[in-house]
Amino acid sequence: ETGVTQSPTHLIKTRGQQVTLRCSSQSGHNTVSWYQQALGQGPQFIFQYYREEENGRGNFPPRFSGLQFPNYSSELNVNALELDDSALYLCASSLQLAGGEQYFGPGTRLTVT
Amino acid sequence: GNSVTQMEGPVTLSEEAFLTINCTYTATGYPSLFWYVQYPGEGLQLLLKATKADDKGSNKGFEATYRKETTSFHLEKGSVQVSDSAVYFCALISNFGNEKLTFGTGTRLTIIP
């Protein structure tokens, strides 16, 4: 059974640029959630995708957007990067309505300069 | 809204000491409760969970009991090891709306040989 994978591992961008992060969910899972973890903080929910539709969104501006594909993999896009977007971005996959257990990938470390 | 409060860290203990990390929560309805662990440079790993009142989750010598009357889910281990050094996050999923995790701020645990 393949776990959750994310790419790239690390990324350095300049303020104002755009970035796309990718996530492959665990086999058999139909839901992907994205979280932002700032240094020294707990992860904050960005949004969730279930069967290719957004299924809830946290307190993040519209420049954070996402996609889920038919194979349940997902992308997180961030436009007009700001310095405060520097963080670890975590993807988690789960099976909807199966008790809420989410399995996390290793994360993508984004640095905005 | 939902929230999770963890005891402030960092926590430093000697090997074989008893560990307690406090966690209390505020949530609508009857949430499921989780402890996740994050080892240095890694993503989050599910440590244990409990889905209803008085349930006890356990794994790798760690235990936590879902206490509805005190809205708590304290993490305990009888004898810690150096390999337990990590950041521990308490989290919940509400049974209303989407299955998003709400995390505490994390407690950094360091075990000294």
Side-chain angles (χ1 to χ4, degrees):
Chain A
E1 184 177 89
T2 306
V4 180
T5 60
Q6 292 186 243
S7 62
T9 305
H10 296 91
L11 204 52
I12 300 175
K13 289 286 190 178
T14 303
R15 189 170 50 186
Q17 286 187 317
Q18 178 266 342
V19 68
T20 297
L21 310 182
R22 295 178 174 82
C23 170
S24 291
S25 59
Q26 185 165 311
S27 176
H29 287 178
N30 55 17
T31 302
V32 173
S33 304
W34 285 92
Y35 296 83
Q36 180 196 66
Q37 185 180 15
L39 201 60
Q41 301 296 316
Q44 299 292 315
F45 175 73
I46 303 175
F47 44 58
Q48 182 181 90
Y49 279 83
Y50 171 56
R51 292 186 175 178
E52 302 178 56
E53 297 287 331
E54 188 178 286
N55 184 42
R57 188 179 184 91
N59 189 25
F60 282 82
R63 59 189 185 83
F64 285 78
S65 63
L67 284 172
Q68 187 181 30
F69 300 100
N71 66 354
Y72 302 127
S73 65
S74 177
E75 286 183 355
L76 164 65
N77 299 290
V78 187
N79 293 322
L81 284 167
E82 300 177 0
L83 297 179
D84 285 348
D85 295 333
S86 295
L88 181 67
Y89 288 85
L90 295 165
C91 165
S93 76
S94 58
L95 191 58
Q96 191 73 212
L97 303 179
E101 200 163 313
Q102 297 187 11
Y103 295 86
F104 284 81
T108 294
R109 172 73 62 188
L110 173 65
T111 302
V112 182
T113 62
Chain B
N2 299 332
S3 67
V4 176
T5 302
Q6 285 183 238
M7 67 183 290
E8 293 185 9
V11 174
T12 302
L13 295 172
S14 297
E15 205 166 19
E16 299 184 3
F18 183 86
L19 168 70
T20 300
I21 301 177
N22 290 337
C23 171
T24 57
Y25 67 89
T26 302
T28 304
Y30 304 96
S32 294
L33 303 175
F34 304 83
W35 277 100
Y36 280 85
V37 58
Q38 188 172 37
Y39 297 102
E42 298 185 13
L44 295 169
Q45 297 179 24
L46 177 64
L47 181 59
L48 54 84
K49 73 171 188 178
T51 58
K52 61 183 187 296
D54 299 325
D55 266 3
K56 177 185 284 188
S58 61
N59 187 24
K60 300 181 180 179
F62 290 90
E63 293 183 340
T65 301
Y66 189 141
R67 301 288 189 198
K68 188 172 185 299
E69 64 276 13
T70 55
T71 61
S72 65
F73 192 54
H74 305 320
L75 182 67
E76 297 181 335
K77 186 174 185 182
S79 176
V80 292
Q81 306 299 314
V82 172
S83 58
D84 295 327
S85 298
V87 182
Y88 292 81
F89 292 94
C90 185
L92 68 82
I93 283 182
S94 173
N95 62 349
F96 290 95
N98 62 55
E99 295 184 344
K100 69 168 191 176
L101 281 162
T102 299
F103 286 90
T105 54
T107 301
R108 180 174 298 279
L109 173 67
T110 301
I111 307 301
I112 299 171

